[in-house]
Amino acid sequence: MDKPLLCVESLVKEIAGQAVISGLNITLNVSDRTAIFAPSGAGKSTLVRILSGLELPTTGSVSIHTDRISTQFQEPRLFPFLTVRQNILLPFQAQGIDGGAVAAEWMREWLEVSNMAGTGDLYPYQLSGGMKQKVSFIRAIIQRPQLLILDEPFQSIDMKTKAKMARHLLAADPEMALLLITHLPAEVNLLAKRVLYFTEPLLAQQNARLIEEPAWFFRDENTLQ
Amino acid sequence: MKRQKAFSTPLRTELLGFGLVLAIWAAASTVYPAYILPSPTETFASLAEYLPSSFATQALLTMFRLVIGFGAALVMGTLIGISAYWLGIQNIANSLMVSLQVIPGTVLGVIFLLLFGLGSMAPILLVAALVLPTIVINTVRGLDNADTLLAQYLLSVHATRMATLRFIYLPALVPTLQANISLGISLASKIVVLGEFIGAQDGIGYLLNRAQITLNMREVFFYLFVLLAFSLVAQAANTLVFATIFKKYSFTG
């Protein structure tokens, strides 16, 4: 059997002596789509930074067995002096490779799906918050990663467009493994096959409840109260 | 239409500043006698009496020394600042530049005069040496302000070092470069005069020195006016370039 794309084992992260992640385990294989559902301040973004190689864990290990990994951060992180088109194609340019016509066509298709056709030449300051989020999302998937990490990807985007984008992603790349960080049940239902559900504001293994049928679990938002 | 506006706005601002200086000068000249502070009208009306026939050549010579000295300081200062940041020795570079700033211009001017004799070399080197610390310090500070969130993003996509330089550090330098040019030109205008006082027998600094020895204040004020005019034109050009060519770097996310 192939190695999992992502394997997080006994991950601990302490900031100023305070644990923000404690003994966390996550395994993601090809085509797995897992959501981490936790309240604000639970260390979700810290986890994203660790998985993206921006921070080291205090103890534990993170193994990633693919080069094709991409992260969409919570903030859009668009380059203000680049147009929408340039921002989306930036991963290619940053790595010194040519995306070519295939990437250009993939971008065009995604701009259309996201109701952003015709905005390619706009700069970030000319976009609304939701539009920036869409650009950030398209940039994260433009290289068709094998492992995609999404941190609150659909903020300020209307439900209808979210659903359209999620459907398009799943149809276009069914093999893509996905780790979705969110606090919105609707987003879990759109993208995830299973959920690590945390009730306490700490990503600790003992606080996690694995839910294999999120669509059923989150059918009623009152469940979360 | 937009390009026309980008051109007219900095020009209008500088003209306004220029007019304001003239107005203050005219107002102040009503308080003091003409042998201390002549009015702008008196200064310009009697140009033929004191202006040397070689004035245009001398003015061009001063501009040449200023531009070369300042250009060298800008290029060297920016490169030193970037290198110091890249090598992680910002604090050492900063201390060194602060120490350089303490050396009085007159002392450096005399050293350059002794080393290179009378001519263009002493004023040019003096401008370069005295402007350089400001440029280095500002460049390091500008790089310190590079956007860390965007830098982290590039790190997450395994960007090359060249891409990091191009998309993070060079854009962070744009506002610093504009400030350096603006500040540096004003500073260089004063220093070139000092350099020509000490180490040259031509140029506006030399003429200014000669005029103040003979207490010809109309001539003194005319040369100051020329320096001011040059500085304002340079500032307008600086604003114009950054409002057009580098405009996108002033956009906020």
Side-chain angles (χ1 to χ4, degrees), chain B residues 90-111:
Chain B
Q90 303 96 304
N91 292 339
I92 298 172
N94 203 58
S95 309
L96 185 69
M97 291 302 138
V98 170
S99 314
L100 272 180
Q101 271 184 321
V102 174
I103 303 172
T106 43
V107 175
L108 267 184
V110 171
I111 292 172

Side-chain angles (χ1 to χ4, degrees), chain A residues 49 52-54 69 71 73 75 77-82 90-91 93-96 123-125 132 139, chain B residues 147-160 163 166-168 171 247-249 251-253:
Chain A
R49 282 200 297 276
S52 308
L54 301 176
I69 172 174
T71 305
F73 293 96
E75 322 80 22
R77 301 194 187 195
L78 301 183
F79 287 69
F81 49 86
L82 298 180
L90 184 64
Q93 223 176 349
Q95 294 161 0
Y123 285 93
Y125 82 93
K132 286 179 193 170
R139 185 177 62 180
Chain B
D147 194 319
T148 46
L149 287 184
L150 297 186
Q152 282 179 357
Y153 168 74
L154 283 187
L155 208 60
S156 80
V157 296
H158 309 293
T160 61
R166 180 177 166 196
F167 293 111
I168 301 293
K247 190 176 192 303
K248 65 180 181 178
Y249 294 102
F251 294 162
T252 50

